[in-house]
Amino acid sequence: MPDTAPPPTNPRLPLAGLKVVELGHYIAAPFATRLLADLGAEVVKVEPPEGDPHRDWGDRKDGHAVWFSVHGRNKLSVTADLKSEEGKGRVRALCRRADALVENFRPGTLERIGLGPDALHADNPRLVIARVSGYGQDGPYRDKPAFGAIGEAMGGLRHLTANPGQTELPPPRCGISISDDLAGMYAALSLVSACWGRDTAARRGAPDGKGRILDLDLVSSVFSLMEGMLPEYGLFGKVRKPTGAALPTAAPTNTYPCADGKWLAVAGNSDLIFRRLMTRIGRPDLADDPRMATNAGRCANASDLDEAIAAWTRTLTAREAQDALEAVDVPCSRLYDIRDCVEDPHFRARGMVQQVDDPLIGPILHPGAPFRMDGLEPRDFIRWTGPAVGQHNDYVFGTLLAEEVPR
């Protein structure tokens, strides 16, 4: 594909003007920079000459991984061999003009090749460096390898995804790389926060406004979502057990079988919603039962409630049951697969399913950015699709850096 300048960034995007370098591969760091790029940041993705290994993941069309169309969107792709002095010089030149760097190599890797924080801050003291790894930059496990499954396992999530009493099958993963995505979200949030803190410090007349080093990891990102489990253990020695599709802190909330073999998620969490739900399924007696007057009482008797709701849902298709409950304002939903998402009018109306033109693949569906801001349309967040490997070498190293980088 010819090397051309990208379309201009919409100045109304909130991160327009923020310059970010990505030394990322696979998922966590590239997901963080995708969020930043969707919001308008200039993201220069530095890939090895053969490309990010993620370009080989998933289904392909015309030799290109369709996932990368989304994963690399709104980014500038350049190549650099980090084993060569020229390649390392290119990265240092990019970081000299950047606000931030996002990387997800194993701890110590950048230091070993002369691109650690000390070297980069010597060139650009303002550079915010977000480091994403499996276990973090310190601690006894820092040097162990990790992928997303390890974050789920050690962070406490996989323990909770089992069905109670089921021992013949392993607890399933959630089906996506949730550990990487969470770490990427935290990296994006902390990067923007650090840039804000640096720049506001400079405006206050602080002596330097130096860029911070941010340390994100897969395990901590998952562990941070464990809600009340840590204080429950610390105070009471309680270890929360798997509850399948139920939620131990609220009832009734579960997923129920329907007559067409599909499932319906129902959340009757509040007192008023619970009463409406019980009346609609023909069990006002349960609404009036003193045991069910509070959420704590309903949690203690959740099995009785689940049995009553399931007896009702089994008589209807999932859509019929959903329509009936929505008519009385009870939160519920059929379990959607991706076809359901694409066909649902709400996803379309909110711009969460968009058809875009990918020069490498052709027309392709992209998920919209999950941001809504006045003055911007959903399509404004998708400026171009994932580029070819090194597509922007000439533009970045010629136009943006001019004579700073050896050619």
Side-chain angles (χ1 to χ4, degrees):
M1 171 165 291
D3 187 320
T4 57
T9 297
N10 185 337
R12 292 178 298 167
L13 289 168
L15 295 186
L18 185 73
K19 297 178 176 61
V20 180
V21 176
E22 179 202 307
L23 287 179
H25 52 286
Y26 292 117
I27 299 176
F31 185 74
T33 54
R34 189 193 107 188
L35 297 176
L36 299 171
D38 284 354
L39 288 165
E42 174 202 278
V43 173
V44 178
K45 178 177 178 62
V46 181
E47 303 187 61
E50 66 275 15
D52 186 329
H54 195 267
R55 290 180 180 270
D56 290 328
W57 281 28
D59 292 338
R60 304 169 73 83
K61 182 181 179 187
D62 299 332
H64 301 285
V66 298
W67 185 0
F68 195 83
S69 180
V70 176
H71 204 50
R73 76 184 183 194
N74 298 327
K75 301 180 187 180
L76 304 171
S77 172
V78 301
T79 54
D81 181 359
L82 299 188
K83 297 177 182 178
S84 72
E85 291 305 314
E86 179 185 36
K88 288 184 281 190
R90 287 185 163 187
V91 170
R92 292 186 71 157
L94 288 170
C95 289
R96 277 196 291 271
R97 67 180 290 276
D99 293 289
L101 166 72
V102 184
E103 63 100 356
N104 64 337
F105 288 99
R106 287 176 67 173
T109 298
L110 291 187
E111 286 83 351
R112 286 194 294 272
I113 63 175
L115 294 175
D118 288 347
L120 298 180
H121 276 155
D123 292 340
N124 179 4
R126 299 179 68 258
L127 186 71
V128 171
I129 302 174
R131 318 193 74 176
V132 187
S133 61
Y135 297 93
Q137 300 296 316
D138 56 20
Y141 298 161
R142 73 181 290 269
D143 295 320
K144 292 172 63 174
F147 280 103
I150 308 306
E152 288 183 45
M154 187 175 171
L157 179 61
R158 194 70 71 85
H159 166 72
L160 297 174
T161 59
N163 283 309
Q166 184 187 76
T167 58
E168 70 277 12
L169 295 174
R173 66 187 305 165
C174 69
I176 59 170
S177 303
I178 190 69
S179 301
D180 296 273
D181 293 343
L182 285 169
M185 290 181 193
Y186 286 145
L189 175 61
S190 57
L191 183 152
V192 171
S193 300
C195 288
W196 169 262
R198 175 199 65 196
D199 295 345
T200 55
R203 288 196 292 271
R204 292 195 305 268
D208 50 23
K210 183 178 178 181
R212 293 178 180 270
I213 301 171
L214 314 176
D215 182 0
L216 297 309
D217 70 89
L218 306 187
V219 172
S220 297
S221 296
V222 174
F223 183 66
S224 72
L225 299 185
M226 293 298 103
E227 297 181 341
M229 281 180 274
L230 187 59
E232 288 169 357
Y233 176 76
L235 288 172
F236 313 118
K238 178 181 178 181
V239 177
R240 187 178 295 184
K241 303 299 182 184
T243 55
L247 188 66
T249 56
T253 181
N254 210 325
T255 304
Y256 303 95
C258 299
D260 55 355
K262 297 185 178 181
W263 297 84
L264 185 74
V266 179
N269 300 9
S270 76
D271 295 346
L272 292 176
I273 292 174
F274 167 69
R275 295 192 68 86
R276 294 199 298 269
L277 171 60
M278 292 299 101
T279 300
R280 184 62 190 86
I281 70 170
R283 293 300 305 270
D285 57 305
L286 289 173
D288 294 331
D289 189 330
R291 298 176 303 155
M292 311 297 183
T294 65
N295 181 64
R298 294 192 292 273
C299 288
N301 296 278
S303 60
D304 292 344
L305 296 175
D306 286 340
E307 183 179 341
I309 297 168
W312 178 78
T313 58
R314 286 192 179 99
T315 67
L316 302 167
T317 68
R319 183 174 290 278
E320 290 169 343
Q322 179 174 336
D323 290 344
L325 294 185
E326 286 183 340
V328 293
D329 212 20
V330 172
C332 62
S333 176
R334 292 167 288 123
L335 300 194
Y336 276 31
D337 60 22
I338 193 63
R339 179 184 294 107
D340 295 317
C341 294
V342 170
E343 294 177 352
D344 191 285
H346 188 76
F347 278 91
R348 293 283 187 172
R350 295 277 292 172
M352 286 307 299
V353 177
Q354 297 188 32
Q355 180 166 299
V356 299
D357 291 323
D358 187 322
L360 301 176
I361 295 172
I364 187 172
L365 296 180
H366 270 225
F371 318 114
R372 291 295 176 274
M373 301 181 184
D374 63 314
L376 291 166
E377 297 298 326
R379 185 55 191 268
D380 291 335
F381 296 100
I382 303 177
R383 303 187 299 288
W384 66 87
T385 55
V389 180
Q391 179 177 326
H392 301 104
N393 277 348
D394 289 345
Y395 171 70
V396 171
F397 296 131
T399 303
L400 293 186
L401 295 187
E403 300 302 319
E404 289 188 65
V405 181
R407 300 298 299 274

